[in-house]
């Protein structure tokens, strides 16, 4: 049982480049999330999805886009990378919201230079 | 919106000593509260959660937390710390005004010295 799988683990981008962070879960969870983690700031929600075809903005969505065409996959797109997007990105999934625990991937460390 | 405060950025304890990590939240009613742990290079893992009932909750790895409404706190404790407990710990609250999505504190980094 793989849980939540994120790829790549590390990436270096140049300013203005684009990339997609991949996230897949095999637990048939409806809810999926993208967080970014910056030192001393905790985790901030970028986007989330409550099911295939349904996405919504979180606390820090600027500079990112998402899609959810299947229950399993929830990719995060950076269109024009900026140094402010240097961070560690975590994908997570859950069966529901509120009381349900989140299952996290192991993260993607992204540097924009 | 709710907020979560973890006052201690770093804590260092000796192996075998007791541990208490502080967490304060802002919310009027009884919130859904969580503690997650992040080992180096890993994603977060749920340690324990509180929704209602007994204010002392037990979690995995020998951790417990106590909900104190009067102090708006949900502190994490462990009687005897092991070197493997070195990690970053996050307190989180489900924000009822934000669709029950989790709001995380800034985290506390625990160092264990032998």
């Amino acid at each position: 049982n793989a849980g939540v799988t994120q790829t790549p683990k590390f990436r270096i981008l140049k300013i203005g480049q684009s990339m997609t962070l991949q996230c897949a879960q095999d637990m048939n969870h409806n809810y999926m999330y993208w967080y970014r983690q910056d030192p001393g700031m905790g985790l901030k929600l970028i986007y989330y999805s409550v099911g295939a075809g349904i996405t919504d903005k979180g606390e820090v969505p600027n500079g990112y886009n998402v899609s959810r065409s299947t229950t399993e996959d929830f990719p995060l797109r950076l269109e024009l990378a900026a140094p402010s997007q240097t961070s560690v990105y975590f994908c997570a999934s859950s069966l529901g919201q509120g009381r349900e625990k989140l299952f996290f991937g192991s993260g993607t460390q992204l540097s924009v230079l | 919106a709710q907020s979560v405060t973890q006052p201690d950025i770093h804590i260092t304890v000796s192996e075998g000593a007791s541990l208490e990590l502080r967490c304060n939240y802002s919310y009027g009613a009884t919130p859904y509260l969580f503690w997650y742990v992040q080992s180096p290079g890993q994603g977060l893992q749920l340690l324990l959660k509180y929704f209602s009932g007994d204010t002392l909750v037990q979690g995995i790895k020998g951790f417990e937390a106590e909900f104190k409404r009067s102090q708006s706190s949900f502190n994490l404790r462990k009687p005897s710390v092991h070197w493997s407990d070195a990690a970053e710990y996050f307190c989180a609250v489900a924000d009822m005004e934000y669709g029950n999505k989790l709001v995380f504190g800034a985290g506390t980094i625990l160092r264990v010295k032998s």
Side-chain angles (χ1 to χ4, degrees):
Chain A
N1 189 353
V4 178
T5 302
Q6 287 184 242
T7 56
K9 290 191 180 299
F10 303 94
R11 185 72 184 268
I12 298 175
L13 285 181
K14 294 182 180 179
I15 295 172
Q17 286 186 320
S18 301
M19 79 162 294
T20 299
L21 280 64
Q22 301 291 345
C23 175
Q25 53 92 10
D26 61 0
M27 296 172 283
N28 202 32
H29 286 168
N30 282 327
Y31 293 81
M32 295 188 74
Y33 313 83
W34 274 105
Y35 288 91
R36 59 176 288 170
Q37 181 184 24
D38 300 299
M41 302 293 291
L43 278 75
K44 303 293 185 185
L45 183 63
I46 304 171
Y47 270 96
Y48 69 99
S49 170
V50 302
I54 306 170
T55 63
D56 205 350
K57 296 177 181 178
E59 188 178 358
V60 290
N62 292 342
Y64 308 94
N65 278 300
V66 294
S67 60
R68 183 99 181 268
S69 57
T70 67
T71 299
E72 293 77 20
D73 300 300
F74 189 42
L76 177 71
R77 178 85 177 160
L78 283 71
E79 291 293 347
L80 292 171
S84 61
Q85 293 177 305
T86 294
S87 187
V88 181
Y89 293 84
F90 286 100
C91 179
S93 73
S94 66
L95 198 57
Q97 280 190 322
R99 299 184 173 213
E100 299 292 336
K101 80 173 190 177
L102 269 60
F103 292 79
F104 283 84
S106 58
T108 295
Q109 187 169 331
L110 176 68
S111 296
V112 182
L113 305 174
Chain B
Q2 299 181 43
S3 65
V4 178
T5 302
Q6 292 181 247
D8 305 303
I9 299 174
H10 297 98
I11 282 186
T12 300
V13 300
S14 298
E15 191 168 16
S18 64
L19 170 70
E20 183 169 28
L21 302 182
R22 296 183 290 164
C23 172
N24 294 96
Y25 64 91
S26 65
Y27 188 63
T30 300
Y32 299 157
L33 294 161
F34 306 79
W35 274 100
Y36 282 83
V37 60
Q38 183 183 26
S39 298
Q42 302 296 315
L44 280 70
Q45 179 185 21
L46 180 69
L47 279 176
L48 47 78
K49 57 187 178 182
Y50 174 78
F51 304 141
S52 63
D54 191 346
T55 56
L56 185 64
V57 293
Q58 302 296 321
I60 62 171
K61 304 185 181 186
F63 285 91
E64 65 180 25
E66 186 172 13
F67 170 65
K68 292 186 177 179
R69 182 190 302 278
S70 61
Q71 298 177 19
S72 297
S73 69
F74 188 55
N75 294 349
L76 182 71
R77 301 194 295 246
K78 186 168 185 179
S80 177
V81 169
H82 188 261
W83 63 266
S84 61
D85 293 324
E88 189 163 14
Y89 292 80
F90 293 93
C91 183
V93 60
D95 191 337
M96 314 291 186
E97 300 172 5
Y98 190 42
N100 279 332
K101 290 180 285 295
L102 285 190
V103 175
F104 286 86
T108 298
I109 296 172
L110 173 65
R111 298 190 178 109
V112 180
K113 59 181 180 181
S114 57

